[in-house]
Coordinates of all heavy atoms in Angstrom, one line a residue:
M1 N -14.4 17.9 10.5 CA -14.2 19.0 11.4 C -15.5 19.8 11.5 O -16.2 20.1 10.5 CB -13.1 19.9 10.9 CG -12.6 20.9 11.9 SD -11.2 21.9 11.2 CE -10.4 22.3 12.7
S2 N -15.8 20.3 12.7 CA -17.1 21.0 12.9 C -16.8 22.5 12.5 O -15.7 22.9 12.1 CB -17.5 21.0 14.3 OG -16.6 21.8 15.1
S3 N -17.9 23.3 12.6 CA -17.7 24.7 12.2 C -17.1 25.5 13.4 O -16.8 26.7 13.2 CB -19.1 25.3 11.8 OG -20.0 25.2 12.9
N4 N -16.9 24.8 14.5 CA -16.2 25.5 15.6 C -14.7 25.7 15.3 O -14.0 24.7 15.1 CB -16.4 24.6 16.9 CG -15.8 25.3 18.1 OD1 -15.1 26.3 18.0 ND2 -16.0 24.7 19.2
N5 N -14.2 26.9 15.2 CA -12.9 27.2 14.9 C -11.9 27.3 16.0 O -10.8 27.6 15.9 CB -12.8 28.4 14.0 CG -13.5 28.2 12.7 OD1 -13.3 27.2 12.1 ND2 -14.3 29.2 12.3
H6 N -12.4 27.0 17.2 CA -11.6 27.1 18.4 C -10.4 26.1 18.2 O -10.6 25.0 17.9 CB -12.4 26.7 19.6 CG -11.6 26.6 20.9 ND1 -11.5 27.7 21.7 CD2 -10.9 25.7 21.5 CE1 -10.7 27.4 22.8 NE2 -10.3 26.2 22.6
G7 N -9.2 26.6 18.4 CA -8.0 25.8 18.4 C -7.3 25.8 17.1 O -6.3 25.1 16.9
T8 N -7.8 26.5 16.0 CA -7.1 26.5 14.8 C -6.1 27.6 14.7 O -6.2 28.6 15.4 CB -8.0 26.6 13.6 OG1 -8.7 27.9 13.7 CG2 -9.1 25.5 13.6
C9 N -5.1 27.4 13.9 CA -4.0 28.5 13.8 C -4.6 29.8 13.4 O -4.1 30.9 13.8 CB -3.0 28.0 12.7 SG -2.0 26.6 13.2
G10 N -5.6 29.8 12.5 CA -6.2 31.1 12.1 C -6.8 31.9 13.2 O -6.9 33.1 13.0
T11 N -7.1 31.3 14.3 CA -7.6 32.1 15.4 C -6.6 32.2 16.6 O -7.0 32.5 17.7 CB -9.0 31.5 15.9 OG1 -8.7 30.1 16.4 CG2 -10.0 31.4 14.9
C12 N -5.4 31.9 16.3 CA -4.3 31.8 17.3 C -3.5 33.1 17.3 O -3.2 33.7 16.2 CB -3.4 30.6 17.1 SG -2.1 30.5 18.2
D13 N -3.1 33.6 18.5 CA -2.3 34.8 18.6 C -1.0 34.6 18.0 O -0.3 35.7 17.6 CB -2.2 35.1 20.1 CG -1.8 36.6 20.3 OD1 -2.4 37.5 19.6 OD2 -1.0 36.8 21.2
Y14 N -0.5 33.4 17.8 CA 0.9 33.2 17.2 C 0.9 33.2 15.7 O 1.9 33.0 15.1 CB 1.4 31.9 17.8 CG 1.7 31.9 19.3 CD1 1.1 31.0 20.1 CD2 2.6 32.9 19.8 CE1 1.3 31.0 21.5 CE2 2.8 32.9 21.2 CZ 2.2 32.0 22.0 OH 2.4 32.0 23.4
F15 N -0.3 33.3 15.1 CA -0.4 33.2 13.7 C -0.5 34.6 13.1 O -1.2 35.5 13.7 CB -1.7 32.4 13.3 CG -1.9 32.2 11.8 CD1 -1.3 31.2 11.1 CD2 -2.8 33.1 11.1 CE1 -1.6 31.1 9.8 CE2 -3.0 33.0 9.8 CZ -2.4 31.9 9.1
G16 N 0.0 34.8 11.9 CA -0.2 36.1 11.2 C 1.0 36.8 10.6 O 0.9 37.7 9.9
D17 N 2.2 36.3 11.0 CA 3.4 36.9 10.5 C 3.4 36.9 8.9 O 3.3 35.9 8.3 CB 4.7 36.2 11.0 CG 5.9 36.9 10.6 OD1 6.0 38.2 10.7 OD2 6.9 36.2 10.2
G18 N 3.6 38.1 8.3 CA 3.6 38.2 6.9 C 2.3 38.3 6.2 O 2.2 38.4 4.9
I19 N 1.2 38.3 6.9 CA -0.1 38.4 6.3 C -0.7 39.7 6.5 O -0.6 40.3 7.6 CB -1.1 37.3 7.0 CG1 -0.5 35.9 6.7 CG2 -2.5 37.5 6.5 CD1 -1.3 34.8 7.3
E20 N -1.2 40.3 5.4 CA -1.7 41.7 5.5 C -2.9 41.7 6.5 O -3.7 40.8 6.7 CB -2.2 42.0 4.1 CG -2.6 43.4 3.8 CD -4.0 43.7 4.1 OE1 -4.9 42.8 3.8 OE2 -4.3 44.8 4.6
Q21 N -2.9 42.9 7.2 CA -3.8 43.0 8.4 C -5.3 42.7 8.0 O -6.0 42.0 8.8 CB -3.7 44.4 8.9 CG -4.4 44.7 10.2 CD -3.9 43.8 11.4 OE1 -2.7 43.4 11.4 NE2 -4.7 43.5 12.4
Q22 N -5.8 43.3 6.9 CA -7.2 43.1 6.6 C -7.5 41.6 6.3 O -8.5 41.1 6.7 CB -7.5 43.9 5.4 CG -9.0 44.2 5.2 CD -9.6 44.8 6.4 OE1 -9.1 45.8 7.0 NE2 -10.8 44.4 6.8
Q23 N -6.5 40.9 5.6 CA -6.7 39.5 5.4 C -6.7 38.7 6.7 O -7.5 37.8 6.9 CB -5.7 39.0 4.4 CG -6.0 37.5 4.1 CD -5.0 36.9 3.1 OE1 -3.8 37.3 3.0 NE2 -5.5 36.0 2.3
L24 N -5.8 39.1 7.6 CA -5.7 38.4 8.9 C -7.0 38.6 9.7 O -7.5 37.6 10.3 CB -4.5 39.0 9.7 CG -4.2 38.3 11.0 CD1 -4.0 36.8 10.8 CD2 -3.0 39.0 11.7
I25 N -7.6 39.7 9.6 CA -8.9 39.9 10.3 C -9.9 38.9 9.7 O -10.7 38.3 10.5 CB -9.4 41.4 10.2 CG1 -8.5 42.3 11.0 CG2 -10.8 41.5 10.6 CD1 -8.7 43.8 10.8
Q26 N -10.0 38.8 8.4 CA -10.9 37.9 7.8 C -10.6 36.4 8.2 O -11.5 35.7 8.4 CB -10.8 38.0 6.2 CG -11.4 39.3 5.7 CD -12.9 39.5 6.1 OE1 -13.7 38.6 6.0 NE2 -13.2 40.7 6.6
I27 N -9.4 36.1 8.3 CA -9.0 34.7 8.6 C -9.4 34.5 10.1 O -9.9 33.4 10.4 CB -7.4 34.5 8.5 CG1 -7.1 34.5 7.0 CG2 -7.0 33.2 9.1 CD1 -5.6 34.5 6.7
R28 N -9.3 35.4 10.9 CA -9.6 35.2 12.4 C -11.1 35.1 12.5 O -11.6 34.3 13.4 CB -9.1 36.4 13.2 CG -7.6 36.2 13.4 CD -7.0 37.3 14.3 NE -5.6 36.9 14.6 CZ -4.7 37.7 15.0 NH1 -5.0 38.9 15.3 NH2 -3.5 37.3 15.3
I29 N -11.9 35.7 11.6 CA -13.3 35.5 11.6 C -13.7 34.1 11.1 O -14.5 33.4 11.6 CB -14.0 36.6 10.8 CG1 -13.8 38.0 11.5 CG2 -15.5 36.3 10.6 CD1 -14.2 39.2 10.7
N30 N -13.0 33.8 10.0 CA -13.3 32.5 9.3 C -12.0 31.9 8.7 O -11.6 32.3 7.6 CB -14.3 32.7 8.2 CG -14.6 31.5 7.4 OD1 -14.2 30.4 7.9 ND2 -15.1 31.6 6.2
P31 N -11.4 31.0 9.4 CA -10.1 30.4 9.0 C -10.2 29.7 7.6 O -9.2 29.4 7.0 CB -9.7 29.4 10.1 CG -10.4 30.0 11.3 CD -11.7 30.6 10.8
E32 N -11.5 29.4 7.2 CA -11.7 28.7 5.9 C -11.6 29.7 4.8 O -11.5 29.3 3.6 CB -13.1 28.1 5.9 CG -13.3 27.1 7.0 CD -12.6 25.8 6.8 OE1 -12.3 25.5 5.6 OE2 -12.3 25.1 7.8
S33 N -11.5 31.0 5.1 CA -11.6 32.0 4.0 C -10.3 32.1 3.2 O -10.4 32.6 2.0 CB -11.9 33.4 4.6 OG -10.8 33.9 5.4
A34 N -9.2 31.7 3.7 CA -7.9 31.8 3.0 C -7.0 30.6 3.3 O -6.0 30.8 4.0 CB -7.3 33.1 3.3
P35 N -7.4 29.4 2.9 CA -6.6 28.2 3.3 C -5.1 28.3 2.8 O -4.3 27.6 3.3 CB -7.4 27.1 2.7 CG -8.2 27.7 1.6 CD -8.5 29.1 2.1
E36 N -4.9 29.2 1.8 CA -3.5 29.2 1.2 C -2.6 30.2 1.9 O -1.4 30.3 1.6 CB -3.7 29.7 -0.3 CG -3.9 31.1 -0.5 CD -5.3 31.6 -0.1 OE1 -6.2 30.8 0.2 OE2 -5.6 32.8 -0.1
A37 N -3.2 30.9 2.9 CA -2.4 31.9 3.6 C -1.6 31.3 4.7 O -2.0 31.2 5.9 CB -3.3 33.0 4.2
F38 N -0.3 31.0 4.4 CA 0.6 30.4 5.4 C 1.3 31.5 6.2 O 1.6 32.5 5.7 CB 1.5 29.4 4.7 CG 1.0 28.0 4.6 CD1 -0.1 27.8 3.7 CD2 1.5 27.0 5.3 CE1 -0.6 26.6 3.6 CE2 1.0 25.7 5.1 CZ -0.1 25.5 4.3
S39 N 1.6 31.1 7.4 CA 2.3 32.1 8.3 C 3.4 31.3 9.1 O 3.1 30.2 9.4 CB 1.3 32.8 9.2 OG 2.0 33.4 10.3
A40 N 4.4 32.0 9.4 CA 5.4 31.4 10.4 C 4.7 31.4 11.8 O 4.0 32.4 12.1 CB 6.6 32.2 10.5
C41 N 4.8 30.3 12.5 CA 4.2 30.3 13.9 C 5.2 30.9 14.8 O 6.3 30.6 14.9 CB 3.9 28.8 14.3 SG 3.5 28.7 16.0
A42 N 4.7 31.9 15.7 CA 5.5 32.6 16.6 C 5.6 32.0 18.0 O 6.3 32.6 18.8 CB 5.0 34.1 16.7
A43 N 4.9 30.9 18.2 CA 5.0 30.3 19.5 C 6.5 29.8 19.7 O 7.1 29.2 18.8 CB 4.1 29.1 19.6
P44 N 7.0 30.1 20.9 CA 8.4 29.8 21.1 C 8.8 28.3 20.8 O 9.9 28.1 20.2 CB 8.6 30.0 22.6 CG 7.6 31.1 22.9 CD 6.4 30.8 22.0
R45 N 8.0 27.4 21.1 CA 8.3 26.0 20.9 C 8.3 25.7 19.4 O 9.0 24.7 19.0 CB 7.4 25.1 21.6 CG 6.0 25.1 21.0 CD 5.1 23.9 21.5 NE 4.7 24.1 22.9 CZ 3.7 23.4 23.4 NH1 3.1 22.5 22.7 NH2 3.4 23.6 24.7
N46 N 7.6 26.4 18.6 CA 7.5 26.2 17.1 C 8.4 27.1 16.3 O 8.9 26.8 15.3 CB 6.1 26.3 16.6 CG 5.2 25.3 17.2 OD1 5.6 24.2 17.5 ND2 3.9 25.6 17.3
A47 N 8.7 28.3 16.8 CA 9.5 29.3 16.1 C 10.9 28.8 16.0 O 11.6 29.1 14.9 CB 9.5 30.7 16.8
E48 N 11.4 28.1 16.9 CA 12.8 27.6 16.9 C 13.0 26.6 15.8 O 14.1 26.4 15.4 CB 13.3 27.1 18.2 CG 12.6 25.9 18.7 CD 13.1 25.5 20.1 OE1 13.4 26.4 20.9 OE2 13.2 24.3 20.4
I49 N 11.9 26.0 15.3 CA 12.1 25.0 14.2 C 11.5 25.7 12.9 O 11.3 25.0 11.9 CB 11.4 23.7 14.5 CG1 9.9 23.8 14.8 CG2 12.2 23.0 15.6 CD1 9.2 22.5 14.8
H50 N 11.2 27.0 13.0 CA 10.7 27.7 11.8 C 9.4 27.0 11.2 O 9.3 26.9 10.0 CB 11.8 27.9 10.8 CG 13.0 28.5 11.3 ND1 13.1 29.8 11.7 CD2 14.2 28.0 11.6 CE1 14.3 30.1 12.2 NE2 15.0 29.0 12.2
L51 N 8.5 26.7 12.0 CA 7.3 26.0 11.6 C 6.4 27.0 10.8 O 6.2 28.1 11.3 CB 6.5 25.5 12.8 CG 5.2 24.8 12.5 CD1 5.5 23.4 11.7 CD2 4.4 24.5 13.7
S52 N 5.9 26.6 9.6 CA 5.0 27.4 8.9 C 3.7 26.7 8.8 O 3.6 25.5 8.6 CB 5.6 27.6 7.4 OG 4.7 28.4 6.7
V53 N 2.6 27.4 9.1 CA 1.3 26.8 9.2 C 0.2 27.5 8.4 O 0.3 28.7 8.1 CB 0.9 26.7 10.7 CG1 1.8 25.8 11.5 CG2 0.9 28.1 11.3
G54 N -0.8 26.8 8.1 CA -2.0 27.4 7.4 C -3.1 27.6 8.5 O -3.1 27.1 9.6
P55 N -4.1 28.4 8.1 CA -5.2 28.8 9.0 C -6.0 27.6 9.7 O -6.5 27.8 10.7 CB -6.1 29.7 8.2 CG -5.4 30.0 7.0 CD -4.3 29.0 6.8
R56 N -6.0 26.5 9.0 CA -6.8 25.4 9.5 C -6.0 24.4 10.3 O -6.6 23.4 10.7 CB -7.5 24.7 8.3 CG -8.5 25.6 7.6 CD -9.2 24.9 6.5 NE -8.3 24.5 5.4 CZ -8.6 24.0 4.3 NH1 -9.9 23.7 4.0 NH2 -7.7 23.7 3.4
A57 N -4.7 24.6 10.4 CA -3.9 23.7 11.2 C -4.1 24.1 12.7 O -4.9 24.9 13.0 CB -2.4 23.9 10.8
G58 N -3.4 23.4 13.6 CA -3.5 23.7 15.0 C -2.5 22.9 15.8 O -1.9 22.0 15.3
C59 N -2.3 23.3 17.1 CA -1.5 22.5 18.0 C -1.9 22.9 19.4 O -2.7 23.7 19.7 CB 0.0 22.8 17.7 SG 0.6 24.3 18.5
D60 N -1.2 22.2 20.4 CA -1.6 22.4 21.8 C -1.2 23.7 22.4 O -1.6 24.1 23.5 CB -1.0 21.3 22.6 CG -1.7 19.9 22.4 OD1 -2.7 19.9 21.8 OD2 -1.1 18.9 22.8
A61 N -0.3 24.5 21.6 CA 0.1 25.8 22.1 C -0.9 26.9 21.7 O -0.6 28.1 21.9 CB 1.5 26.1 21.6
W62 N -2.0 26.5 21.1 CA -3.0 27.5 20.7 C -3.3 28.5 21.8 O -3.5 28.1 22.9 CB -4.2 26.8 20.3 CG -5.3 27.8 19.7 CD1 -5.4 28.3 18.5 CD2 -6.4 28.3 20.5 NE1 -6.5 29.1 18.4 CE2 -7.1 29.1 19.6 CE3 -6.9 28.2 21.8 CZ2 -8.3 29.8 20.0 CZ3 -8.0 28.8 22.2 CH2 -8.7 29.6 21.3
K63 N -3.3 29.8 21.4 CA -3.6 30.9 22.3 C -4.6 31.8 21.6 O -4.3 32.3 20.4 CB -2.3 31.6 22.7 CG -2.5 32.8 23.6 CD -1.1 33.4 23.8 CE -1.2 34.8 24.4 NZ 0.1 35.5 24.4
P64 N -5.7 32.1 22.1 CA -6.7 32.9 21.4 C -6.1 34.3 21.0 O -5.4 35.0 21.8 CB -7.8 33.1 22.4 CG -7.3 32.7 23.7 CD -6.1 31.8 23.5
A65 N -6.4 34.7 19.7 CA -6.0 36.0 19.2 C -6.6 37.1 20.0 O -7.8 37.0 20.4 CB -6.3 36.1 17.8
A66 N -5.9 38.1 20.3 CA -6.5 39.2 21.1 C -7.6 39.9 20.3 O -7.6 40.0 19.1 CB -5.4 40.2 21.5
Ligands
SF4_1 S1 0.9 25.9 15.4 FE1 -0.1 26.1 17.4 S2 0.8 27.9 18.3 FE2 1.3 28.0 16.1 S3 -0.3 29.3 15.2 FE3 -1.0 27.2 15.1 S4 -2.2 26.8 16.9 FE4 -1.0 28.7 17.3

């Protein structure tokens, strides 16, 4: 994987439930900083199956974090 973090859960708007705000900011800057920080995915298509993801995962529903 390249150093380009576009498309990873850690930079996705649907990631971050249950993660402390300061840590989430760090993850959004660098998804490699906390690979153990799992979050429920809030994307409608994934939330209904209660998908839990790590910062380095990804899917086609990726939406850039605001
Ligand atoms: S699984 Fe997809 S929609 Fe959910 S946080 Fe990761 S990239 Fe975003």
Side-chain angles (χ1 to χ4, degrees):
M1 189 178 208
S2 74
S3 60
N4 182 354
N5 293 317
H6 178 91
T8 64
C9 294
T11 60
C12 179
D13 199 42
Y14 295 121
F15 180 87
D17 186 44
I19 297 178
E20 191 268 326
Q21 187 65 25
Q22 198 59 40
Q23 184 177 32
L24 184 57
I25 291 169
Q26 289 302 315
I27 290 170
R28 286 185 170 161
I29 294 168
N30 177 18
E32 303 288 334
S33 67
E36 77 290 353
F38 275 66
S39 162
C41 172
R45 69 166 75 165
N46 294 331
E48 68 183 32
I49 59 170
H50 305 287
L51 181 68
S52 182
V53 293
R56 296 181 297 184
C59 85
D60 290 346
W62 182 83
K63 177 182 166 190

